[in-house]
mmCIF file of all heavy atoms in Angstrom:
data_model
loop_
_atom_site.group_PDB
_atom_site.id
_atom_site.type_symbol
_atom_site.label_atom_id
_atom_site.label_comp_id
_atom_site.label_asym_id
_atom_site.label_seq_id
_atom_site.Cartn_x
_atom_site.Cartn_y
_atom_site.Cartn_z
ATOM 1 N N GLY A 90 8.578 -10.562 7.303
ATOM 2 C CA GLY A 90 9.201 -9.240 7.185
ATOM 3 C C GLY A 90 8.215 -8.144 6.861
ATOM 4 O O GLY A 90 8.598 -7.059 6.410
ATOM 5 N N SER A 91 6.927 -8.421 7.121
ATOM 6 C CA SER A 91 5.915 -7.435 6.754
ATOM 7 C C SER A 91 5.002 -7.149 7.936
ATOM 8 O O SER A 91 5.401 -6.440 8.856
ATOM 9 C CB SER A 91 5.127 -7.921 5.540
ATOM 10 O OG SER A 91 4.179 -6.959 5.140
ATOM 11 N N VAL A 92 3.839 -7.748 7.948
ATOM 12 C CA VAL A 92 2.816 -7.439 8.941
ATOM 13 C C VAL A 92 3.299 -7.762 10.353
ATOM 14 O O VAL A 92 3.965 -8.775 10.583
ATOM 15 C CB VAL A 92 1.528 -8.224 8.636
ATOM 16 C CG1 VAL A 92 0.515 -8.071 9.750
ATOM 17 C CG2 VAL A 92 0.941 -7.760 7.305
ATOM 18 N N SER A 93 2.938 -6.887 11.279
ATOM 19 C CA SER A 93 3.261 -7.115 12.685
ATOM 20 C C SER A 93 1.985 -7.070 13.521
ATOM 21 O O SER A 93 1.043 -6.329 13.198
ATOM 22 C CB SER A 93 4.231 -6.045 13.179
ATOM 23 O OG SER A 93 4.480 -6.186 14.572
ATOM 24 N N THR A 94 1.990 -7.874 14.568
ATOM 25 C CA THR A 94 0.863 -7.902 15.503
ATOM 26 C C THR A 94 1.374 -7.631 16.897
ATOM 27 O O THR A 94 2.334 -8.274 17.348
ATOM 28 C CB THR A 94 0.156 -9.272 15.470
ATOM 29 O OG1 THR A 94 -0.288 -9.550 14.146
ATOM 30 C CG2 THR A 94 -1.033 -9.279 16.406
ATOM 31 N N LEU A 95 0.746 -6.695 17.571
ATOM 32 C CA LEU A 95 1.028 -6.412 18.985
ATOM 33 C C LEU A 95 -0.125 -6.989 19.787
ATOM 34 O O LEU A 95 -1.290 -6.660 19.529
ATOM 35 C CB LEU A 95 1.134 -4.897 19.216
ATOM 36 C CG LEU A 95 1.348 -4.439 20.659
ATOM 37 C CD1 LEU A 95 2.736 -4.843 21.158
ATOM 38 C CD2 LEU A 95 1.186 -2.922 20.777
ATOM 39 N N THR A 96 0.203 -7.860 20.717
ATOM 40 C CA THR A 96 -0.815 -8.516 21.537
ATOM 41 C C THR A 96 -0.687 -8.060 22.973
ATOM 42 O O THR A 96 0.422 -8.036 23.528
ATOM 43 C CB THR A 96 -0.676 -10.046 21.464
ATOM 44 O OG1 THR A 96 -0.806 -10.468 20.100
ATOM 45 C CG2 THR A 96 -1.756 -10.732 22.302
ATOM 46 N N ILE A 97 -1.800 -7.697 23.547
ATOM 47 C CA ILE A 97 -1.846 -7.343 24.965
ATOM 48 C C ILE A 97 -2.782 -8.336 25.639
ATOM 49 O O ILE A 97 -3.967 -8.419 25.294
ATOM 50 C CB ILE A 97 -2.345 -5.903 25.190
ATOM 51 C CG1 ILE A 97 -1.572 -4.904 24.326
ATOM 52 C CG2 ILE A 97 -2.207 -5.531 26.671
ATOM 53 C CD1 ILE A 97 -2.118 -3.486 24.386
ATOM 54 N N GLN A 98 -2.243 -9.086 26.573
ATOM 55 C CA GLN A 98 -3.048 -10.067 27.292
ATOM 56 C C GLN A 98 -3.571 -9.475 28.596
ATOM 57 O O GLN A 98 -2.911 -8.606 29.201
ATOM 58 C CB GLN A 98 -2.207 -11.308 27.600
ATOM 59 C CG GLN A 98 -1.743 -12.052 26.354
ATOM 60 C CD GLN A 98 -0.861 -13.248 26.706
ATOM 61 O OE1 GLN A 98 0.095 -13.115 27.453
ATOM 62 N NE2 GLN A 98 -1.202 -14.403 26.167
ATOM 63 N N ARG A 99 -4.728 -9.935 28.999
ATOM 64 C CA ARG A 99 -5.318 -9.537 30.290
ATOM 65 C C ARG A 99 -5.244 -8.015 30.451
ATOM 66 O O ARG A 99 -4.648 -7.490 31.393
ATOM 67 C CB ARG A 99 -4.601 -10.236 31.441
ATOM 68 C CG ARG A 99 -4.580 -11.754 31.301
ATOM 69 C CD ARG A 99 -3.855 -12.425 32.476
ATOM 70 N NE ARG A 99 -2.488 -11.974 32.642
ATOM 71 C CZ ARG A 99 -1.458 -12.381 31.924
ATOM 72 N NH1 ARG A 99 -1.644 -13.250 30.943
ATOM 73 N NH2 ARG A 99 -0.239 -11.927 32.171
ATOM 74 N N THR A 100 -5.867 -7.307 29.522
ATOM 75 C CA THR A 100 -5.742 -5.846 29.482
ATOM 76 C C THR A 100 -6.145 -5.204 30.804
ATOM 77 O O THR A 100 -7.047 -5.689 31.519
ATOM 78 C CB THR A 100 -6.595 -5.259 28.355
ATOM 79 O OG1 THR A 100 -7.937 -5.762 28.451
ATOM 80 C CG2 THR A 100 -6.028 -5.591 26.992
ATOM 81 N N GLN A 101 -5.462 -4.118 31.100
ATOM 82 C CA GLN A 101 -5.734 -3.306 32.278
ATOM 83 C C GLN A 101 -6.135 -1.902 31.822
ATOM 84 O O GLN A 101 -5.819 -1.497 30.689
ATOM 85 C CB GLN A 101 -4.490 -3.227 33.160
ATOM 86 C CG GLN A 101 -3.941 -4.571 33.588
ATOM 87 C CD GLN A 101 -4.884 -5.301 34.529
ATOM 88 O OE1 GLN A 101 -5.384 -4.723 35.487
ATOM 89 N NE2 GLN A 101 -5.147 -6.570 34.242
ATOM 90 N N GLN A 102 -6.765 -1.162 32.691
ATOM 91 C CA GLN A 102 -7.217 0.176 32.320
ATOM 92 C C GLN A 102 -6.040 1.086 31.945
ATOM 93 O O GLN A 102 -6.172 1.948 31.074
ATOM 94 C CB GLN A 102 -8.053 0.790 33.445
ATOM 95 C CG GLN A 102 -9.415 0.139 33.572
ATOM 96 C CD GLN A 102 -10.282 0.776 34.651
ATOM 97 O OE1 GLN A 102 -9.786 1.289 35.640
ATOM 98 N NE2 GLN A 102 -11.588 0.724 34.451
ATOM 99 N N GLU A 103 -4.889 0.856 32.582
ATOM 100 C CA GLU A 103 -3.732 1.701 32.251
ATOM 101 C C GLU A 103 -3.152 1.412 30.873
ATOM 102 O O GLU A 103 -2.266 2.134 30.407
ATOM 103 C CB GLU A 103 -2.626 1.547 33.312
ATOM 104 C CG GLU A 103 -2.073 0.155 33.455
ATOM 105 C CD GLU A 103 -2.716 -0.601 34.619
ATOM 106 O OE1 GLU A 103 -3.890 -0.310 34.941
ATOM 107 O OE2 GLU A 103 -2.024 -1.478 35.176
ATOM 108 N N ASP A 104 -3.663 0.365 30.204
ATOM 109 C CA ASP A 104 -3.234 0.084 28.837
ATOM 110 C C ASP A 104 -3.948 0.990 27.836
ATOM 111 O O ASP A 104 -3.566 1.029 26.657
ATOM 112 C CB ASP A 104 -3.514 -1.377 28.457
ATOM 113 C CG ASP A 104 -2.782 -2.370 29.338
ATOM 114 O OD1 ASP A 104 -1.722 -2.005 29.903
ATOM 115 O OD2 ASP A 104 -3.266 -3.517 29.482
ATOM 116 N N SER A 105 -4.950 1.701 28.275
ATOM 117 C CA SER A 105 -5.694 2.592 27.378
ATOM 118 C C SER A 105 -4.754 3.669 26.840
ATOM 119 O O SER A 105 -4.109 4.393 27.605
ATOM 120 C CB SER A 105 -6.862 3.251 28.127
ATOM 121 O OG SER A 105 -7.802 2.293 28.545
ATOM 122 N N ALA A 106 -4.678 3.749 25.522
ATOM 123 C CA ALA A 106 -3.752 4.679 24.865
ATOM 124 C C ALA A 106 -3.939 4.542 23.364
ATOM 125 O O ALA A 106 -4.710 3.695 22.895
ATOM 126 C CB ALA A 106 -2.301 4.362 25.230
ATOM 127 N N VAL A 107 -3.200 5.360 22.639
ATOM 128 C CA VAL A 107 -3.107 5.175 21.187
ATOM 129 C C VAL A 107 -1.820 4.423 20.901
ATOM 130 O O VAL A 107 -0.751 4.794 21.394
ATOM 131 C CB VAL A 107 -3.115 6.522 20.434
ATOM 132 C CG1 VAL A 107 -2.892 6.308 18.949
ATOM 133 C CG2 VAL A 107 -4.435 7.254 20.670
ATOM 134 N N TYR A 108 -1.930 3.365 20.131
ATOM 135 C CA TYR A 108 -0.770 2.557 19.773
ATOM 136 C C TYR A 108 -0.413 2.872 18.324
ATOM 137 O O TYR A 108 -1.201 2.657 17.402
ATOM 138 C CB TYR A 108 -1.069 1.075 19.981
ATOM 139 C CG TYR A 108 -1.165 0.731 21.443
ATOM 140 C CD1 TYR A 108 -2.336 0.989 22.169
ATOM 141 C CD2 TYR A 108 -0.068 0.220 22.136
ATOM 142 C CE1 TYR A 108 -2.414 0.734 23.529
ATOM 143 C CE2 TYR A 108 -0.141 -0.053 23.486
ATOM 144 C CZ TYR A 108 -1.311 0.213 24.185
ATOM 145 O OH TYR A 108 -1.380 -0.040 25.533
ATOM 146 N N LEU A 109 0.789 3.400 18.172
ATOM 147 C CA LEU A 109 1.254 3.834 16.860
ATOM 148 C C LEU A 109 2.302 2.868 16.324
ATOM 149 O O LEU A 109 3.170 2.407 17.065
ATOM 150 C CB LEU A 109 1.862 5.239 16.942
ATOM 151 C CG LEU A 109 0.889 6.392 17.206
ATOM 152 C CD1 LEU A 109 1.650 7.638 17.633
ATOM 153 C CD2 LEU A 109 0.070 6.687 15.964
ATOM 154 N N CYS A 110 2.208 2.619 15.055
ATOM 155 C CA CYS A 110 3.191 1.796 14.358
ATOM 156 C C CYS A 110 3.892 2.676 13.333
ATOM 157 O O CYS A 110 3.282 3.581 12.741
ATOM 158 C CB CYS A 110 2.483 0.633 13.671
ATOM 159 S SG CYS A 110 3.540 -0.399 12.643
ATOM 160 N N ALA A 111 5.180 2.435 13.145
ATOM 161 C CA ALA A 111 5.941 3.174 12.139
ATOM 162 C C ALA A 111 6.881 2.214 11.429
ATOM 163 O O ALA A 111 7.300 1.208 11.997
ATOM 164 C CB ALA A 111 6.738 4.306 12.785
ATOM 165 N N SER A 112 7.192 2.533 10.194
ATOM 166 C CA SER A 112 8.170 1.725 9.472
ATOM 167 C C SER A 112 9.199 2.644 8.828
ATOM 168 O O SER A 112 8.952 3.840 8.630
ATOM 169 C CB SER A 112 7.499 0.845 8.413
ATOM 170 O OG SER A 112 6.987 1.606 7.335
ATOM 171 N N SER A 113 10.350 2.080 8.549
ATOM 172 C CA SER A 113 11.408 2.876 7.924
ATOM 173 C C SER A 113 12.400 1.977 7.224
ATOM 174 O O SER A 113 12.421 0.756 7.431
ATOM 175 C CB SER A 113 12.132 3.730 8.976
ATOM 176 O OG SER A 113 12.996 2.946 9.767
ATOM 177 N N LEU A 114 13.221 2.597 6.391
ATOM 178 C CA LEU A 114 14.398 1.937 5.850
ATOM 179 C C LEU A 114 15.510 2.162 6.860
ATOM 180 O O LEU A 114 15.749 3.304 7.258
ATOM 181 C CB LEU A 114 14.784 2.552 4.492
ATOM 182 C CG LEU A 114 13.785 2.336 3.363
ATOM 183 C CD1 LEU A 114 14.151 3.210 2.169
ATOM 184 C CD2 LEU A 114 13.760 0.872 2.959
ATOM 185 N N PRO A 115 16.192 1.121 7.298
ATOM 186 C CA PRO A 115 17.215 1.308 8.331
ATOM 187 C C PRO A 115 18.522 1.823 7.746
ATOM 188 O O PRO A 115 19.494 1.103 7.625
ATOM 189 C CB PRO A 115 17.377 -0.102 8.903
ATOM 190 C CG PRO A 115 17.084 -0.992 7.737
ATOM 191 C CD PRO A 115 16.025 -0.288 6.938
ATOM 192 N N LEU A 116 18.534 3.092 7.397
ATOM 193 C CA LEU A 116 19.716 3.654 6.787
ATOM 194 C C LEU A 116 20.753 3.980 7.844
ATOM 195 O O LEU A 116 20.417 4.387 8.946
ATOM 196 C CB LEU A 116 19.342 4.921 6.012
ATOM 197 C CG LEU A 116 18.310 4.714 4.896
ATOM 198 C CD1 LEU A 116 17.968 6.043 4.254
ATOM 199 C CD2 LEU A 116 18.828 3.735 3.875
#
Side-chain angles (χ1 to χ4, degrees):
Chain A
S91 182
V92 172
S93 175
T94 302
L95 177 68
T96 301
I97 309 174
Q98 296 178 309
R99 305 180 302 281
T100 51
Q101 304 293 312
Q102 288 182 330
E103 61 262 29
D104 299 335
S105 296
V107 175
Y108 289 80
L109 290 165
C110 175
S112 70
S113 75
L114 294 169
L116 301 177

